[in-house]
Amino acid sequence: MVWLCAIDNQKDNQEDNEKDNEAMPPTVDTNPPTTDLSEPYTPRAEYPRPILVRDQWQSLNGPWLFRVDLDNRGLIDHWFRAPWDDAPTITVPFSMESAASGITEPESAPVVWYQREVVKPETWDGRVVLRMGASDFLTRVFVNGQEVGQHRGGYAPFGFDIQHALEPGRNCITIRVEDSLSWTQPRGKQAGTTRWPIDYDGVTGIWQSVWLEPLTAVSIESTAYSYHVQGQALSYKAFLSAQVVGEVSIEVLDGDRVIASDTVQTAGRAEIRTTLVIEDPILWSPEHPHLYGVRLKLLNHATGERDEAMSYTGLREVSVTNGQLCLNGDPLYLRGVLDQGYFPEGWYTAPSDDDLRRDVELTLAMGFNCARKHQKAEDPRYLYWADKLGLMVWAEMPSGRVFSSELVESLTSEWMDLIKRDRAHPSIIAWVPFNESWGVWHQSERPEQRAFVDAVTSLTKALDGSRVVVGNDGWEYSSGDLWTLHLYNEDSDVSGRLDALIEDPHSSVTSEFGGRDRVGALPGADVSGLPILLTECGGIGMGSFSEEDFSYGNLAETPEALEARMRKIMTDICSLKALQGFVWTQLTDVQQEINGLLYFDRQPKLPITVFSDIFGGTGDA
């Protein structure tokens, strides 16, 4: 049996934090010691939720017992009732499809089970919450044979109170995860019952970190904010785990110095808000990604308990002013790259925190100022590095592809949870709930599908009004703050086709590779005055095709040919003065899709300086 004695993790002054930003929240021990000396390390042992950090926690990453339930017998046979005598192990948080999981012969499975033992520290005498960063798709958690909670969805985090089920000494945690190949659930690029050339192998089960956290009866759960440059005003919100009579204090820190603070009475609510004026602010931008620390404290008047957490904020304002996309009031030209977020060893999961940082650094070094995370809700640690290093991010909801009541319910619920998870990250400048009408293919003919897109777009703005919302990226605009278009194949005169579409937004966008034509805007939708961006383009592969390989258009046979074709496309794009940005497809090769600027192992197909020269100066005045 694999088991781990919980450790109170302490703050760790990491060298890079000391060098880069003294105002960052405290970090945590990246290698908490274990009682099993046969375990050389704990994978992905950094604190999983960098936007809200607590000192005490315990990583449950590492080896778990693992069983594949091909016949779905586990519930009937009570696999959750007792420790397993014998089972192979899997390394969490890596899915069974990844090499890093240690599963040598992964096969598609509708149900998988995990189990391990933990020892609750004697000092943890209050609430204990089991948290999971992401698990795909339907997850049920049992502690000592008692079910403590269920969660539906493959991308959003969740947690369950487990104190009531814990016992002194060793405790057995068993997790059951059920997945399907149905496109009525949000799957992103995971191949389902049908597979497009742009789909990849799937992900089953746990794929983000698992950890335990001791908490007070009512605790701080998340934060959100908006910033207004003109008034130097930071509008800040904190969300609590339950309604409470108490008070929340907020301190904004520049290094160790408190530069603004306030104490707000909760008045029996589970949410507080305040406005703080920041004098002489240092604004967050890609050129200067300054971050302020935020210290949060909750005092529960009924019990006297105090909860404390550290966060951070970047003061920046995203807006559309007079038809211009702006950052901090200045016109913004988006130089973006499409990033699928897959990794050779970990598949959906970066093998290390350094791998996430490296992707951000590579993106910036290649001349881009933004990453469009495509059809994947990325690990919060990626957003942390984007916040810290100055990379803007478009956050996108993974799509389903079959419109149904299940899709409406699952996508809406999970999208709301992801917005709550990520809305305090300054790097995110845009929300994208739908892509190319995936799952809502018939908006022109079926009012319920268009209503769904418009409703989620409006819901997104209700939950967070501090960013732009791209309701349906690429085709069939109905609502949202930007008009975004997708066009590939430089041989067909991209600039001419875009000019024609801008002249008549209700004309068709020809899809050379999808077999479907889509209008730029749906009937009755008004795009006049909206910023126009080309948010998918390029997609050139290099080398020789195998039967399974895919890229947009013919391959470039040599590096010289690849460079020449990229320069041609970018010259074409730059000639379109109406455009306020672009997103190039794509950062890396992934499986059969070989149109990356980098190979899958992150080796560049051309020198990084060449990419920077091609993309980095675009949009400069």
Side-chain angles (χ1 to χ4, degrees), residues 108-157:
S108 178
V111 180
V112 294
W113 291 72
Y114 304 76
Q115 191 179 88
R116 69 172 296 161
E117 287 187 350
V118 299
V119 175
K120 175 194 166 188
E122 295 180 359
T123 56
W124 289 12
D125 56 1
R127 286 173 64 213
V128 176
V129 173
L130 173 69
R131 297 196 187 274
M132 302 181 71
S135 177
D136 197 359
F137 176 72
L138 175 60
T139 304
R140 300 174 65 173
V141 177
F142 304 83
V143 177
N144 298 323
Q146 179 178 344
E147 186 164 12
V148 296
Q150 299 184 13
H151 178 263
R152 186 177 186 83
Y155 297 92

Side-chain angles (χ1 to χ4, degrees), residues 403 442-451:
F403 184 76
H442 305 290
Q443 292 183 76
S444 296
E445 302 85 24
R446 299 181 184 176
E448 67 272 21
Q449 294 190 12
R450 183 169 179 176

